[in-house]
Amino acid sequence: MIRQSFNDNWHFKKIVGGPAWGDTEKESTVTLPHDAMILEPRDRNTPNGTSTGFYPGGTYTYSKTFDASNIDQDQVVYLEFEGVYMNAMVYINGDLAGKRPYGYSRFAIMANDYLRYGVKNEVKVVVQNAASPNSRWYSGSGLYRPVNFVVGDSLHVALDGLKISTESVDRDYAVITIDLALENTRNANRTARLKTVIKDSGGRMVAADQTGINLFGSDSITIKRRIAIPDPDLWHPDTPNLYTCVVEIEEGGAVIDQTTETFGVRTLQLDAQRGLRVNGSSVKLRGTCIHHDNGVIGAATLERAEERRVEIMKAAGFNAIRSAHHPMSKALLRACDRLGMLVMDEAFDMWHATKSDFDYALYFDEWWERDIESMVAKDYNHPCVVMYSIGNEIPELGTPKGARLNRQLADKVRTLDPTRYVTNAINGVMCAMPYIQDIIRELAEEDGESVAQQAAGPQEGVDINQFMMDFFNKQSRIATSRTIDRILEETADGLDIVGYNYMVSRYDTENQKQPNRVVVGSETFPEHIGLIWRKVMDNSHVIGDFTWTGWDYLGEAGIGAFGYDGNDDEEKNPVLKPYPAILAYCGDIDITGHRRPMSYLREIVFGLRQAPYIAVQRVNRHGQQASKTPWSGSDTVSSWTWPGYEGQPAVIEVYASAREVELIQDGRSLGRKTAGDNENFTAVFETTYKPGKLEAVGYSDGLETGRMLLATAGEDLGLKVDADRTDLRADSQDMASLMISLTDSQGVVNMAKPLQVSIQVDGPGILQGFGSADPMTTENYFDTVRTTYDGRVFAVIRTTQEAGKIRVSVSAPGCDTETVVLNSKA
């Protein structure tokens, strides 16, 4: 079947004051993908609160007319929606043609019964995202992923009907298995020829196959073919080689249907002694969890935005992504295939127990099987996918009913795809809540305290939040309790890989209790990476770690942000921050794609960076009492520019794998300190701030291993614009990312002087998003003036269907205007 983009010329309206037939705001014409939520005014009183970064939901309609005059009534027609958040109702010419509650599932509507041939047709999608809260993070709203128009002959390859897997590999040949589902919707017998061609990454044909087929009227069959590929180029994170499979159905000498899929030749093996093996070689997962938003453009899933994220995360040392906590986009899967990023794709954040008042738990029983089928069908041909996660922190996993449902979901996935593994991201503390008295008894026995003393709760004069944080800090002990062993045994044994969220304390002893159990750290705290990675490397049954999180995101506002000097709201809730908090602020990489110091520490821990890295605790915050959470790490920036704080104390963290680090300030040594593995790869120095230079030098066995220089920015200030690419496609889907920095004449970024930057776009392009990494801003992401945060702002320029030169000009007070020209080509 042939897929065509169906993204242009949609008419968008917001429904206000009632259901879908109520009043509407002014209609606008939009190009998909389109996020309606990012355009909403933020509201400190929205029921969504911190979960979505104070963005409200709403009810929206998207409508589009199209011509069916060139469609034969014998053909089959589908509308394929890659993601609609949420409760999508699809109408064709006024009739309900289909619906989907889950906001992350790809689904297709067969349109034939609703089409009017030879005249204009209308498709209308009503998106019901007004019932809130329904998400624990920024969800976006509307048709935020692409829509495709899919047409095929009455004899055609079914949607998702081409499945490719690797059967065997040796030095000379790889054997792939092709399962091909064919459908004949005509009430007549059909005789045709099926031709298959395999091409390498250069487009050269490397294998071919053909066979005759006969289908009876209104029939469907599945054909299995084995094809040998000589001298195979294997897919691996380090060498992401891809092949293309083209299948054609030929009837009467003419090609009547065609389907094309990319795939990779690779094998997977798993055991507790050798861990995860890709093509026979053990691979440790240097992983990160990510949410689905793309920062300043919201949830809009532009292909290049997804690709850019993978590029930056790969460069930062990650080789694996966990899609938290929902199925990832097709665009992101394609990027992971091309760039070599392993994937844990996750189905759900909840089953029967709601985590928000109006979330997917309300629909789970009716829809989970179809949503699992959608995820697996989407992922099947992507070599990057190595495991499916069927849930995240599901509270009922510690009950017999929960364990049974866990097996049902796992078995459903295995039936659909026996080539990959199944996991579940388990939070033991969450599962243990019904058994808390048993755990309190255990802890009391270990501590020599009475059960009554442990269970009494906070005593008079003890803050409730402090009591809760104390309990939270005992999570590592709770995770290894006998009660946790007992309640999770059946659930864990129903999985191929046991995912543990914040249960690192189980790693060292897990294989003693369960010698065949394979474990992955499905979610962990970022600042513990030194300890965690040592445990991953020391234990063969632990196949990797997924930190929370590699890339910052909208919503869950403030879980990693710092508060200073007793803000009342922060004392009431030490985890989430009050309005105007907008970002989680817990990513190694901020929402603009700039790497924060934690990213370099992690790269050093992974053994991928030899040079030390200098991170300075914010000098303007020295001596202030900071509130932080386990997702916070350290409040540092890589800057030695602090005007107005001359003579004030400064604390410098130097990250290094070297055994010793020397810090030199303006040519004067501040001494050497130990670093490396035994010191969590960090050496801390104290000095007095004055403009100049800091230089860190690493030494191992008396030899220098690398150095880094940090200089104070000069007083001359200008704008520096870095575009990730200047040659674009004029297809309304391509984009360029512009990092705009305040620098001196030597290119040193001045983080200390916030300035308002203005942007102007001329030519066949639009400003898709414009903003900074500020976690506490009242500015939106779609106006043309933004304030720098830590010396930077970021813009996304999206193409239109028109070719030509796009001129992007940026200016700021006291700075010369800078212009970048982007070439948009048809």
Side-chain angles (χ1 to χ4, degrees):
M1 301 184 76
I2 306 300
R3 279 181 171 83
Q4 305 168 37
S5 172
F6 205 58
N7 292 318
D8 295 321
N9 298 315
W10 286 81
H11 301 287
F12 168 75
K13 293 186 293 187
K14 180 181 179 181
I15 310 299
V16 293
W21 53 84
D23 296 332
T24 65
E25 293 185 346
K26 183 178 178 181
E27 182 177 281
S28 59
T29 301
V30 300
T31 301
L32 308 182
H34 176 265
D35 178 12
M37 182 176 279
I38 202 71
L39 302 174
E40 293 276 9
R42 294 173 67 214
D43 180 1
R44 68 173 70 239
N45 297 314
T46 176
N48 287 339
T50 57
S51 295
T52 62
F54 298 95
Y55 281 97
T59 299
Y60 312 92
T61 66
Y62 294 80
S63 61
K64 173 172 177 163
T65 58
F66 62 97
D67 191 353
S69 60
N70 61 344
I71 299 174
D72 191 317
Q73 294 190 37
D74 197 39
Q75 292 179 302
V76 291
V77 178
Y78 287 90
L79 291 176
E80 181 186 43
F81 297 85
E82 295 190 18
V84 183
Y85 201 89
M86 58 178 292
N87 288 314
M89 308 283 285
V90 181
Y91 299 84
I92 300 177
N93 295 321
D95 290 322
L96 179 65
K99 63 180 182 179
R100 199 72 168 208
Y102 197 32
Y104 300 102
S105 276
R106 183 188 54 129
F107 64 98
I109 304 292
M110 190 172 184
N112 291 70
D113 290 344
Y114 307 94
L115 290 179
R116 297 171 184 167
Y117 295 92
V119 298
K120 293 287 186 181
N121 288 252
E122 183 193 54
V123 58
K124 178 180 178 181
V125 184
V126 179
V127 181
Q128 298 276 3
N129 193 26
S132 58
N134 59 55
S135 176
R136 297 189 302 110
W137 55 86
Y138 179 88
S139 60
S141 291
L143 276 61
Y144 71 98
R145 288 179 180 170
V147 177
N148 303 303
F149 194 77
V150 188
V151 181
D153 188 86
S154 56
L155 175 56
H156 59 271
V157 179
L159 277 176
D160 303 316
L162 172 56
K163 291 182 167 61
I164 308 163
S165 58
T166 303
E167 182 175 298
S168 63
V169 174
D170 60 32
R171 185 176 59 184
D172 299 319
Y173 286 95
V175 178
I176 62 169
T177 300
I178 293 177
D179 290 286
L180 197 64
L182 304 177
E183 296 175 341
N184 176 21
T185 58
R186 187 187 298 172
N187 190 22
N189 296 352
R190 307 286 293 273
T191 298
R193 195 144 195 88
L194 189 69
K195 294 185 176 181
T196 303
V197 171
I198 307 298
K199 300 178 181 180
D200 63 16
S201 58
R204 181 176 62 94
M205 186 179 75
V206 295
D209 179 82
Q210 58 178 291
T211 185
I213 54 173
N214 290 281
L215 274 81
F216 295 105
S218 303
D219 193 13
S220 61
I221 61 173
T222 298
I223 293 177
K224 185 183 291 287
R225 308 295 292 169
R226 288 182 178 85
I227 299 177
I229 300 175
D231 301 318
D233 294 323
L234 303 187
W235 189 97
H236 185 276
D238 297 333
T239 54
N241 300 303
L242 292 173
Y243 287 90
T244 301
C245 176
V246 181
V247 174
E248 294 180 343
I249 301 176
E250 219 178 69
E251 186 180 47
V255 175
I256 62 171
D257 191 63
Q258 183 184 85
T259 295
T260 301
E261 291 279 352
T262 58
F263 69 97
V265 175
R266 62 111 180 90
T267 61
L268 298 177
Q269 295 166 287
L270 183 73
D271 62 71
Q273 287 69 46
R274 291 167 293 185
L276 175 68
R277 287 181 289 163
V278 179
N279 302 327
S281 299
S282 293
V283 175
K284 293 288 189 178
L285 302 179
R286 305 188 302 269
T288 171
C289 305
I290 61 169
H291 276 315
H292 74 301
D293 72 82
N294 276 302
V296 301
I297 66 172
T301 307
L302 293 177
E303 183 110 12
R304 174 55 192 164
E306 302 283 63
E307 181 179 62
R308 177 177 178 267
R309 276 206 293 173
V310 178
E311 286 175 349
I312 293 172
M313 287 186 286
K314 182 90 173 181
F318 293 114
N319 69 358
I321 291 174
R322 172 190 177 211
S323 182
H325 309 288
H326 40 67
M328 66 166 53
S329 70
K330 293 174 70 175
L332 187 54
L333 287 169
R334 288 191 289 266
C336 291
D337 281 347
R338 290 192 299 269
L339 297 169
M341 187 73 81
L342 299 170
V343 167
M344 177 201 298
D345 205 2
E346 193 155 82
F348 309 118
D349 187 46
M350 70 292 293
W351 292 350
H352 288 141
T354 58
K355 296 180 179 179
S356 303
D357 291 346
F358 301 98
D359 66 22
Y360 179 73
L362 302 176
Y363 314 101
F364 178 82
D365 269 344
E366 180 183 355
W367 286 92
W368 73 261
E369 285 196 80
R370 280 171 283 186
D371 289 326
I372 287 283
E373 289 166 357
S374 172
M375 178 181 73
V376 174
K378 168 180 63 69
D379 291 6
Y380 193 95
N381 293 327
H382 291 281
C384 62
V385 179
V386 294
M387 71 183 90
Y388 302 103
S389 170
I390 54 178
N392 170 67
E393 297 186 340
I394 305 298
E396 56 262 46
L397 287 181
T399 70
K401 286 284 189 181
R404 181 177 182 273
L405 184 54
N406 179 73
R407 286 188 185 275
Q408 282 184 276
L409 268 71
D411 287 344
K412 177 69 175 180
V413 172
R414 293 183 184 116
T415 299
L416 297 168
D417 184 355
T419 71
R420 295 177 172 93
Y421 306 112
V422 182
T423 187
N424 200 330
I426 301 170
N427 186 314
V429 173
M430 190 169 290
C431 296
M433 286 304 169
Y435 312 95
I436 202 65
Q437 291 299 324
D438 295 339
I439 293 174
I440 287 173
R441 187 173 292 108
E442 282 188 56
L443 297 182
E445 291 172 358
E446 293 174 6
D447 294 342
E449 300 176 358
S450 69
V451 174
Q453 183 178 355
Q454 281 273 2
Q459 305 302 308
E460 185 176 351
V462 177
D463 180 72
I464 182 65
N465 288 318
Q466 185 60 51
F467 173 76
M468 291 303 295
M469 288 298 286
D470 289 345
F471 185 79
F472 186 79
N473 290 333
K474 291 182 178 179
Q475 180 162 313
S476 62
R477 293 179 59 197
I478 294 172
T480 57
S481 68
R482 297 187 302 275
T483 300
I484 293 290
D485 289 345
R486 174 175 58 82
I487 67 173
L488 291 183
E489 182 179 34
E490 186 177 0
T491 289
D493 287 345
L495 302 167
D496 303 311
I497 302 167
V498 182
Y500 283 144
N501 285 15
Y502 310 109
M503 298 172 72
V504 177
S505 56
R506 293 185 67 91
Y507 292 2
D508 290 335
T509 59
E510 188 85 352
N511 64 339
Q512 298 172 18
K513 301 174 183 177
Q514 298 287 344
N516 293 306
R517 185 173 290 174
V518 178
V519 168
V520 67
S522 42
E523 195 167 313
T524 60
F525 294 126
E527 65 178 341
H528 297 160
I529 183 58
L531 168 66
I532 292 168
W533 197 245
R534 188 183 314 125
K535 290 180 178 293
V536 170
M537 295 303 291
D538 289 348
N539 290 287
S540 62
H541 65 286
V542 181
I543 63 172
D545 172 77
F546 289 84
T547 187
W548 195 270
T549 178
W551 195 287
D552 200 11
Y553 56 94
L554 300 167
E556 286 191 290
I559 68 166
F562 292 84
Y564 288 92
D565 286 341
N567 181 295
D568 289 340
D569 288 321
E570 289 164 3
E571 288 180 0
K572 292 174 186 174
N573 190 334
V575 176
L576 299 172
K577 301 297 185 291
Y579 183 86
I582 188 171
L583 305 176
Y585 204 65
C586 59
D588 283 17
I589 302 163
D590 71 27
I591 64 162
T592 73
H594 175 70
R595 293 178 62 183
R596 299 168 66 195
M598 177 59 73
S599 173
Y600 293 93
L601 172 59
R602 190 179 308 277
E603 187 181 14
I604 287 168
V605 171
F606 287 157
L608 302 175
R609 177 185 170 100
Q610 291 298 311
Y613 187 82
I614 303 172
V616 179
Q617 294 183 14
R618 295 183 187 269
V619 177
N620 59 324
R621 294 294 191 180
H622 188 274
Q624 297 181 25
Q625 183 65 39
S627 64
K628 59 175 289 187
T629 73
W631 295 278
S632 296
S634 180
D635 193 9
T636 60
V637 291
S638 189
S639 175
W640 196 233
T641 305
W642 302 94
Y645 290 89
E646 291 79 5
Q648 298 298 309
V651 178
I652 296 99
E653 300 176 9
V654 180
Y655 309 140
S657 58
R659 293 181 181 178
E660 285 188 312
V661 171
E662 181 181 23
L663 186 63
I664 302 167
Q665 182 178 12
D666 298 328
R668 181 178 64 89
S669 176
L670 301 182
R672 292 191 184 190
K673 293 194 174 184
T674 56
D677 190 15
N678 293 332
E679 301 294 334
N680 198 30
F681 300 89
T682 304
V684 179
F685 296 83
E686 296 186 13
T687 187
T688 299
Y689 172 69
K690 64 176 181 177
K693 295 180 180 179
L694 290 177
E695 189 168 22
V697 186
Y699 299 94
S700 290
D701 299 324
L703 299 176
E704 180 181 326
T705 58
R707 61 178 61 209
M708 176 184 173
L709 179 68
L710 202 59
T712 301
E715 294 185 4
D716 56 313
L717 197 62
L719 293 173
K720 183 173 183 289
V721 183
D722 292 305
D724 67 335
R725 48 216 290 272
T726 56
D727 290 328
L728 308 176
R729 300 184 313 274
D731 61 359
S732 77
Q733 299 296 303
D734 207 0
M735 54 168 266
S737 298
L738 274 58
M739 188 70 78
I740 304 160
S741 308
L742 298 175
T743 71
D744 66 10
S745 58
Q746 301 302 308
V748 178
V749 176
N750 189 328
M751 295 187 178
K753 187 177 181 180
L755 280 183
Q756 285 198 326
V757 176
S758 300
I759 191 167
Q760 180 176 326
V761 180
D762 297 304
I766 63 170
L767 180 63
Q768 183 71 24
F770 186 36
S772 75
D774 188 348
M776 300 289 288
T777 182
T778 58
E779 296 179 339
N780 60 49
Y781 295 130
F782 52 81
D783 284 334
T784 57
V785 180
R786 284 291 161 270
T787 305
T788 59
Y789 178 76
D790 285 345
R792 297 177 177 88
V793 291
F794 176 71
V796 172
I797 311 301
R798 183 175 180 176
T799 62
T800 66
Q801 293 280 355
E802 182 183 349
K805 293 188 180 298
I806 306 169
R807 297 177 64 86
V808 184
S809 301
V810 295
S811 59
C815 301
D816 293 335
T817 298
E818 297 291 330
T819 300
V820 171
V821 178
L822 310 174
N823 299 306
S824 184
K825 301 176 182 178

